[in-house]
């Protein structure tokens, strides 16, 4: 048997849509369009609810996300690229932002769906635990309506309860068992993830007899130094094109290390690092234009960049920080759009050019573009500041 697909969830989705009369080609296009739009909306929602930015700042981050050419291009491709990035961000957000057992279960389900979309989704198994590590192990619970994770040794842990628990087969019961052992939200999410994703992996391994889909072996071959070098060049091209976005995201990861944002910031930053190394570099990159393997990281980078811009604005102009953030966010994303589009138009560049060559040849052009966009950002920010200041007088 040959596993001729990489994205199991996409195949299932197309099959279900075909049952209601929508052809497979149109079905996957609909799925990717919905995922692309969902990613833009989710970035705004995470900034508003998860990072506690203002509605205007969250809207600016969402608009900036919509500027990014690779995301828009793959949203129209019919492929799973945007769906993978969307599900990853959703899993991290739910795991980091909910104090309820239902949230932990939901995060585990989302993580399992991510792994069923692309094999790299299994990396969430080493990303989700960062939520609790960043929070100092045990997480506090606030609010009278919260449904906190069951404490170790609490009510219901006697012999009768243990016998009753042994008869339960529901996912919440499994999550609660692990949560009592470690009192960690990510532990509960990880339990659900391992059951669902592990069951799926066991089924496909028994059925197809391979650890990874056949598409991996056909396109990538066997990992090695040459493949990693090609992947490093691929990632380097992406980082060069998206330099403003990546620099702001890095600053956001550093500055967002403290406070209530810490669990999400650490999990997202760790996720970017892990996926970049294991999902992009070691896989050797990709031969398509518009950075198919890097595009899923754009929503994660967008959220971190929103923190970075807000931190810069608060330091530079505390009284008008909101206005500067609203103006700078779309401008920074727009600069990344220019760089990513220019580099991605040559799909063979990541495979044939060393990173140093790309830097030497491309840096002057990108620097000129970044300078022009910085001037545009200053104009937009000044205009936004004047408007908001006038409105508050």
């Amino acid at each position: 048997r040959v596993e001729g697909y990489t994205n199991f969830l996409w195949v299932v989705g197309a099959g279900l849509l075909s049952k209601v009369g929508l052809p497979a080609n149109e079905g996957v296009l609909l799925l990717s369009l919905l995922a692309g739009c969902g990613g833009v909306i989710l970035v705004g929602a995470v900034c508003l609810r998860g990072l506690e930015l203002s509605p205007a700042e969250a809207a600016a981050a969402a608009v900036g996300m919509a500027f990014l050419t690779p995301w828009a291009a793959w949203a129209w491709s019919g492929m799973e690229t945007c769906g993978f990035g969307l599900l990853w961000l959703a899993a991290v957000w739910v795991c980091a932002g909910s104090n309820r057992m239902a949230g932990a279960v939901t995060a585990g389900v989302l993580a399992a769906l991510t792994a069923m979309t692309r094999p790299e989704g299994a990396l969430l198994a080493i990303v989700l635990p960062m939520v609790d590590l960043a929070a100092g192990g045990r997480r506090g619970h606030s609010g009278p309506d919260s449904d906190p994770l069951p404490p170790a040794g609490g009510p219901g842990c006697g012999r009768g309860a243990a016998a009753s628990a042994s008869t339960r087969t529901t996912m919440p019961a499994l999550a609660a068992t692990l949560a009592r052992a470690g009192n960690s939200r990510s532990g509960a999410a990880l339990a659900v993830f391992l059951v669902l994703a592990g069951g799926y992996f066991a089924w496909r391994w028994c059925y197809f007899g391979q650890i990874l889909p056949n598409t991996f072996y056909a396109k990538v071959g066997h990992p090695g130094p040459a493949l990693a070098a090609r992947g490093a060049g691929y990632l380097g091209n992406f980082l060069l094109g998206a330099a403003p976005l990546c620099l702001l995201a890095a600053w956001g990861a550093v500055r967002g290390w403290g406070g209530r944002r810490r669990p999400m910031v650490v999990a997202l930053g760790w996720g970017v690092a892990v996926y970049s190394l294991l999902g992009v570099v070691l896989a050797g990159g990709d031969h398509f234009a518009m950075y198919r393997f890097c595009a899923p990281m754009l929503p994660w980078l967008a959220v971190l960049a929103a923190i970075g811009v807000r931190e810069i604005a608060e330091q530079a102009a505390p009284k008008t920080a909101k206005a500067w953030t609203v103006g700078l966010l779309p401008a920074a994303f727009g600069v990344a759009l220019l760089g990513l589009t220019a580099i991605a138009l040559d799909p063979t560049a990541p495979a044939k050019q060393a990173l140093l060559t790309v830097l030497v040849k491309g840096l002057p052009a990108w620097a000129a573009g970044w300078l022009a966009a910085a001037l545009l950002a200053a104009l937009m920010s000044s205009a936004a500041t004047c408007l908001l200041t006038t409105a508050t007088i």
Side-chain angles (χ1 to χ4, degrees), residues 40-80:
V40 173
I41 296 172
L42 184 61
V43 166
V46 171
C47 290
L48 180 64
R49 302 295 299 274
L51 306 181
E52 299 180 347
L53 298 182
S54 69
E57 292 169 311
V63 170
M65 177 66 201
F67 280 177
L68 298 177
T69 312
W71 188 260
W74 290 108
W76 282 95
S77 69
M79 299 183 72
E80 81 293 344

Side-chain angles (χ1 to χ4, degrees), residues 167-178:
T167 62
R168 299 173 186 167
T169 57
T170 60
M171 206 58 61
L174 176 64
T177 301
L178 188 67

